[in-house]
Amino acid sequence: MTHGYKILAAAAGGFGAGAMALAAVLVLARSDPPPLQAAPVPATAASSYADAVARAAPSVLRVFGQRYGAPGEAPPPPSNGAIPGLSRGSAVLVSDDGLLVTSGHLVAGADAIGVQVPDRRILDAELLGIDAPTDLAVLRIDEAPGPGIDVGEPAALRPGDVVLAIGNPFGLDQTVSFGIVSALGRSELGLTEIEGFIQTDAAINPGNSGGALIDTRGRLVGINTAIMSDSGYSEGVAFAIPADRVMRVVAAIAQGGNVERGWIGIGARTLEPGLAERFGVRAPRGVFVSRVLPESPAAAAGLRTGDVIVAAGGEPVLTSPALREAVIAAGAGGSIELAVWRGSEQLTAKVRTGLRPTTEHTAAERVANRGCRDAAGC
């Protein structure tokens, strides 16, 4: 079955039970069976997460992107009773001075952007910038309705942790849904250029895009961005951008209007058995260099097509998205040390990173270019 991915813009619109096992104990020193030991009682789930929601919900606002169209051109047709040309979704207040983050696809190309605050007023919002590789946009309003949301630690999340989604699905303000972390670091989905998503089964629907994924303490751990679905609605597989990445994007755009990322100029693919056999690669795992762009930092450092990168910055890299993350983290104008297999020889290359070129891709191109396969490479 072919599954569809849906980026969550609205036009005007499980819990795995833990298993317990009894251990049989064999005692050789006595003939009568030993008394049964009581199995440990698992911790009970909280009966309510209302306190966490109360802490976070005031910071989750409704965002509108209005597109008027060119003079004499009709705006996009209405959907679900929407105002023509109007997209609606969610945004999260992340600072006390009015900075908000939302999904880039909600406000890209908008002629006017509005944010509805808790007292129902709609405030004009300034678009500070859109980061296309993560599909995040940063807005500013002059009058913050309250303090920014507390930011948690997505790196501390584990599969099975409880999370809650807050947003405005189908225009229903402040809707809360419950779920768990299904998986971490989901990549190579073709949703955005930079992935590494938190996967959750919390119900996410059109209009939730740009909303908050919070932990049980009411802290932001992710920004909801997309679902995997055949119907276009929640089927229990949703994705959120980790909050630490979100806040780095917010800081960069608030300061300079864009995000600068490191780049070394290679095309690369995760090394799989078929690829290794085809090219006679001896490295057991790593990232296969499929091309080195001329006059790139990688070319200057002596990297070659056919090399296999097995570590970056002293940390193993097993996939091309992991390599991309390591290069990005090094920043533009920084350096990164790569451990490389070239045939049976093991080498070290120190690469001076450049500034990653800006690229725009369609959804189909993002699927085809997963990892480091696009024109810009890693």
Side-chain angles (χ1 to χ4, degrees), residues 9-367:
F15 203 147
M20 296 189 299
L22 294 176
V25 180
L26 179 61
V27 179
L28 299 178
R30 53 187 296 176
S31 58
D32 57 314
L36 292 175
Q37 300 295 315
V41 178
T44 57
S47 60
S48 174
Y49 297 100
D51 289 342
V53 172
R55 282 190 287 271
S59 300
V60 183
L61 309 176
R62 195 171 178 183
V63 65
F64 305 87
Q66 179 69 60
R67 297 164 182 82
Y68 299 119
E73 176 184 316
S79 174
N80 298 329
I83 298 172
L86 184 69
S87 63
R88 302 193 297 190
S90 307
V92 179
L93 184 68
V94 293
S95 76
D96 298 349
D97 61 353
L99 282 179
L100 301 105
V101 65
T102 187
S103 293
H105 63 269
L106 287 172
V107 296
D111 297 298
I113 302 170
V115 172
Q116 187 175 58
V117 294
D119 66 7
R120 313 300 293 175
R121 289 178 300 144
I122 297 178
L123 307 180
D124 290 334
E126 176 189 3
L127 176 62
L128 300 184
I130 295 176
D131 182 47
T134 57
D135 190 33
L136 289 170
V138 180
L139 312 175
R140 186 190 296 278
I141 53 176
D142 291 334
E143 184 182 340
I149 196 169
D150 290 337
V151 179
E153 301 176 36
L157 290 174
R158 300 176 300 166
D161 283 348
V162 170
V163 286
L164 302 145
I166 308 176
N168 306 298
F170 309 111
L172 300 172
D173 295 349
Q174 298 282 294
T175 295
V176 180
S177 58
F178 167 94
I180 62 169
V181 173
S182 304
L184 297 165
R186 285 293 192 210
S187 292
E188 298 191 88
L189 302 174
L191 291 172
T192 55
E193 185 179 330
I194 297 173
E195 298 184 327
F197 297 118
I198 301 166
Q199 181 183 328
T200 179
D201 66 350
I204 304 293
N205 281 293
N208 274 112
S209 192
L213 189 71
I214 64 170
D215 62 18
T216 55
R217 296 168 60 183
R219 302 178 305 173
L220 182 73
V221 293
I223 294 294
N224 300 315
T225 189
I227 58 175
M228 180 178 179
S229 173
D230 292 320
S231 66
Y233 304 105
S234 176
E235 294 181 12
V237 183
F239 303 100
I241 304 165
D244 50 356
R245 178 177 299 138
V246 170
M247 296 310 294
R248 288 194 295 269
V249 169
V250 169
I253 289 180
Q255 181 175 358
N258 67 313
V259 183
E260 295 186 349
R261 295 183 170 91
W263 174 77
I264 60 174
I266 63 171
R269 299 177 62 182
T270 300
L271 183 63
E272 298 169 349
L275 189 65
E277 183 178 351
R278 177 183 172 189
F279 289 96
V281 173
R282 297 190 181 184
R285 301 182 74 180
V287 179
F288 179 79
V289 178
S290 56
R291 72 183 188 281
V292 177
L293 300 183
E295 301 181 4
S296 67
L303 287 178
R304 301 178 188 173
T305 299
D307 286 348
V308 178
I309 299 169
V310 296
E315 297 293 328
V317 288
L318 305 180
T319 65
S320 55
L323 175 62
R324 172 174 277 180
E325 288 291 330
V327 172
I328 286 171
S335 65
I336 188 168
E337 188 172 276
L338 303 177
V340 178
W341 280 57
R342 180 173 294 160
S344 59
E345 186 179 5
Q346 298 184 49
L347 309 170
T348 298
K350 191 167 185 178
V351 186
R352 183 78 175 174
T353 56
L355 176 63
R356 178 171 179 76
T358 301
T359 56
E360 295 288 343
H361 296 298
T362 65
E365 288 170 336
R366 284 196 297 270
V367 172

